[in-house]
Amino acid sequence: MTGTPAHGAPQTERPHDLVGIGIGPFNLSLAALAHGLRTGDTAGGLTTAFYEQRPAFHWHAGLLIDGTTLQVPFLADLVTLADPASPWSFLGYLKDRDRLFPFYFAEKFHIERAEYDAYCRWVSDRLPGLHFGHQVDAVRWNPERSLFEIDFTRLDADGGAESLGRAHARHIAVGIGTEPHVPESLRPLVDAPGVPVIHSADYLEHRERLLAAGHITVIGSGQSGAEIFLDVLRARPAGRERVHWLARTEAFAPMEYSKLGLEHFTPDYTRYFHALPETVRDDLVPRQWQLHKGIDTDTIAAIHEELYRRTLRTGWPDAVLTPGVRVRTAGRVASTKVELHLEHLQQGTRSRLTTDAVVLATGYRERPLDRLLVGLDPYMRRDASHRPRVDEHFRLVLDPAVTGSVYVQNAERHTHGVGAPDLGLAAWRSATILNSLTGKEPYPLPRRTAFTSFGLERHETPGIPGQAPRATPLEERHRSRH
């Protein structure tokens, strides 16, 4: 959502209290909870506008494979964990579609991804103040008016520029999401014609072409890689599967899904993590990969069951699953194949694999804020790694001369931990933002959310000089801010 500022663009008549940039699940959650504040909770109502360059809401459309489910319960919708009575809940969607009783008897705690996507589209189609087909080009602070200026381009149905516009806002919420990550060694292959080399984000769009290939290689050990490998495996004839599954991790490991392990996705842990020193946080995040990058145990079981079933008829299937492997380089062989140069990280051995198609289930990366917020760069405060500093209320730390706030959604893993991209924390984070923005507590937040105490309290020992004073517990510190 970057581009050239639209100088001289027409201005809106009244500044908004909040402008959201990007309409994914997180800003959609914020918009839904903000809509609940329009009557009675804030004087005069909260005025909002949300802009998105896509023509309509879509959530990981390339990965809505039949039968795949969310890895969080349906209660992790846009609003319920902050406001169970909201009209924008998943149960409200089911009631509106006359599907509440079928869902009740289905006894589904984890819904299919396609249904979550349909639910979010139901909300986006009905919620006022959402502007699709609007590409935000620049954001600036206007010190004379004490407002943010947001320049945007209205797009036509084909994505071409139609007209320019400008909005003003007291506060901004940036929810531009993530983008597919392609390893450096494979980037030259992605955009070249011939052999299909696609990211998992585009899997369904290219599925038929991929399945027509003689040999398919899936790279990546996370949930997306597992689901795509299983889908490919089920679509191939027994004994003629011709599929490889490669991963850098030491094993096709299950995701940490124990009850106490899941408490890393609670507000309690988020507050604890935010209070840690920067160097400790940076060391901790990579070591927690199995909390969010592993594979659901049901998916692992389904893969093993499918492989085992095939041994009953044709012997061992023609499928190779190899963890602990990295792709050093890759190149095209003629115009119809790809050659992957592999290295086994434990053995130290090297090999080559020739394949007809590659699916890169290599994950996503946060979109850099700098391109969009370049106009605010002089005001931004950064950490030792030159990343934006984010406070406990999900606000960028800016120069005091900027009296408005810039909130971020799913751009704060370095300050708030592994829960940043988790759908289960969406409503709580949105409520935290709105409480901060309004200076009130329209959404009372839970005081405690985990049985685990993630840190120790320091107690003062009388009579010992130099003893550190007793630290205020994170829970009390949080309460004192509201």
Side-chain angles (χ1 to χ4, degrees):
M1 293 188 181
T2 58
T4 304
H7 297 294
Q11 300 183 9
T12 55
E13 293 181 1
R14 177 187 174 190
H16 300 286
D17 293 312
L18 173 67
V19 162
I21 303 173
I23 306 177
F26 296 135
N27 260 359
L28 189 60
S29 165
L30 185 62
L33 288 173
H35 181 260
L37 300 183
R38 288 176 180 271
T39 54
D41 288 304
T42 56
L46 192 69
T47 60
T48 65
F50 288 76
Y51 299 102
E52 168 61 52
Q53 66 181 3
R54 296 175 301 173
F57 182 93
H58 290 290
W59 181 74
H60 293 306
L63 286 171
L64 302 181
I65 302 169
D66 286 346
T68 57
T69 61
L70 288 184
Q71 293 172 290
V72 291
F74 74 90
L75 291 173
D77 60 14
L78 301 173
V79 294
T80 293
L81 291 178
D83 182 11
S86 170
W88 306 110
S89 70
F90 177 73
L91 293 181
Y93 155 75
L94 291 176
K95 187 176 187 301
D96 181 74
R97 294 300 177 92
D98 202 19
R99 297 179 58 235
L100 200 51
F101 269 88
F103 179 76
Y104 167 64
F105 289 116
E107 298 183 344
K108 287 182 176 290
F109 201 51
H110 291 80
I111 62 174
E112 292 195 11
R113 287 184 189 169
E115 186 159 31
Y116 178 79
D117 177 65
Y119 154 66
C120 288
R121 283 189 281 109
W122 174 80
V123 175
S124 68
D125 289 343
R126 288 160 177 76
L127 195 65
L130 306 185
H131 305 276
F132 291 93
H134 284 61
Q135 174 184 288
V136 172
D137 301 308
V139 176
R140 295 178 301 279
W141 175 249
N142 185 328
E144 295 180 0
R145 300 188 63 189
S146 295
L147 293 171
F148 292 102
E149 294 180 345
I150 303 96
D151 290 336
F152 56 82
T153 302
R154 297 180 186 88
L155 307 176
D156 60 26
D158 298 320
E162 192 171 70
S163 62
L164 303 178
R166 176 174 294 164
H168 291 86
R170 297 180 179 85
H171 307 283
I172 292 174
V174 181
I176 57 177
T178 57
E179 57 190 359
H181 170 67
V182 177
E184 193 70 38
S185 60
L186 291 166
R187 286 180 186 175
L189 301 177
V190 174
D191 296 324
V195 184
V197 180
I198 62 118
H199 193 273
S200 57
D202 302 315
Y203 173 67
L204 286 183
E205 181 182 348
H206 299 276
R207 182 176 181 271
E208 296 306 316
R209 183 185 176 202
L210 285 165
L211 293 179
H215 183 277
I216 303 172
T217 300
V218 179
I219 300 175
S221 63
Q223 183 68 18
S224 297
E227 290 171 350
I228 289 171
F229 175 78
L230 179 59
D231 187 62
V232 169
L233 183 64
R234 286 171 169 169
R236 310 286 270 188
R240 301 194 304 277
E241 292 85 1
R242 302 196 66 204
V243 57
H244 268 65
W245 185 16
L246 307 174
R248 286 179 61 98
T249 54
E250 296 179 356
F252 296 106
M255 187 175 294
E256 170 57 65
Y257 209 75
S258 66
K259 301 303 181 185
L260 292 180
L262 288 175
E263 291 193 340
H264 286 84
F265 300 96
T266 59
D268 282 9
Y269 183 77
T270 300
R271 290 191 291 266
Y272 160 78
F273 185 91
H274 187 271
L276 292 173
E278 179 185 333
T279 54
V280 176
R281 296 197 304 254
D282 288 347
D283 179 66
L284 192 55
V285 168
R287 294 192 283 112
Q288 294 179 322
W289 66 269
Q290 209 165 338
L291 287 171
H292 59 105
K293 291 186 177 180
I295 306 169
D296 176 76
T297 54
D298 289 342
T299 306
I300 292 176
I303 290 172
H304 190 275
E305 181 180 350
E306 182 65 27
L307 291 168
Y308 176 75
R309 185 180 63 81
R310 288 167 181 256
T311 66
L312 302 178
R313 292 180 291 167
T314 58
W316 288 83
D318 186 11
V320 180
L321 296 73
T322 311
V325 171
R326 77 177 182 97
V327 179
R328 296 188 302 111
T329 59
R332 294 186 180 271
V333 180
S335 60
T336 59
K337 295 181 182 296
V338 165
E339 186 176 77
L340 304 175
H341 297 237
L342 310 177
E343 179 180 16
H344 196 282
L345 300 174
Q346 292 180 347
Q347 289 180 324
T349 53
R350 293 184 175 184
S351 181
R352 297 181 179 183
L353 173 64
T354 301
T355 186
D356 299 298
V358 179
V359 180
L360 302 173
T362 47
Y364 298 79
R365 296 291 185 273
E366 294 174 358
R367 285 193 173 93
L369 297 177
D370 292 345
R371 293 197 298 263
L372 178 64
L373 302 182
V374 63
L376 300 179
D377 186 67
Y379 302 101
M380 293 175 64
R381 298 294 182 257
R382 299 180 182 274
D383 64 15
S385 299
H386 203 65
R387 297 166 300 196
R389 290 171 55 195
V390 185
D391 74 8
E392 65 271 26
H393 299 294
F394 303 95
R395 294 177 298 200
L396 294 184
V397 179
L398 301 174
D399 187 283
V402 180
T403 56
S405 297
V406 177
Y407 298 93
V408 293
Q409 302 236 54
N410 195 12
E412 73 285 359
R413 186 178 296 182
H414 62 292
T415 57
H416 287 70
V418 294
D422 190 76
L423 294 176
L425 286 174
W428 171 78
R429 177 170 53 197
S430 295
T432 301
I433 290 172
L434 291 170
N435 288 355
S436 166
L437 185 152
T438 60
K440 303 179 181 181
E441 197 175 22
Y443 291 110
L445 299 176
R447 295 181 177 180
R448 184 173 180 181
T449 55
F451 292 110
T452 305
S453 298
F454 293 100
L456 293 176
E457 295 183 10
R458 292 183 296 168
H459 292 276
E460 183 177 355
T461 303
I464 301 180
Q467 172 69 40
R470 184 181 186 276
T472 303
L474 294 176
E475 179 182 312
E476 294 179 14
R477 215 181 306 165
H478 176 69
R479 286 204 302 270
S480 69
R481 290 194 292 265
H482 295 287

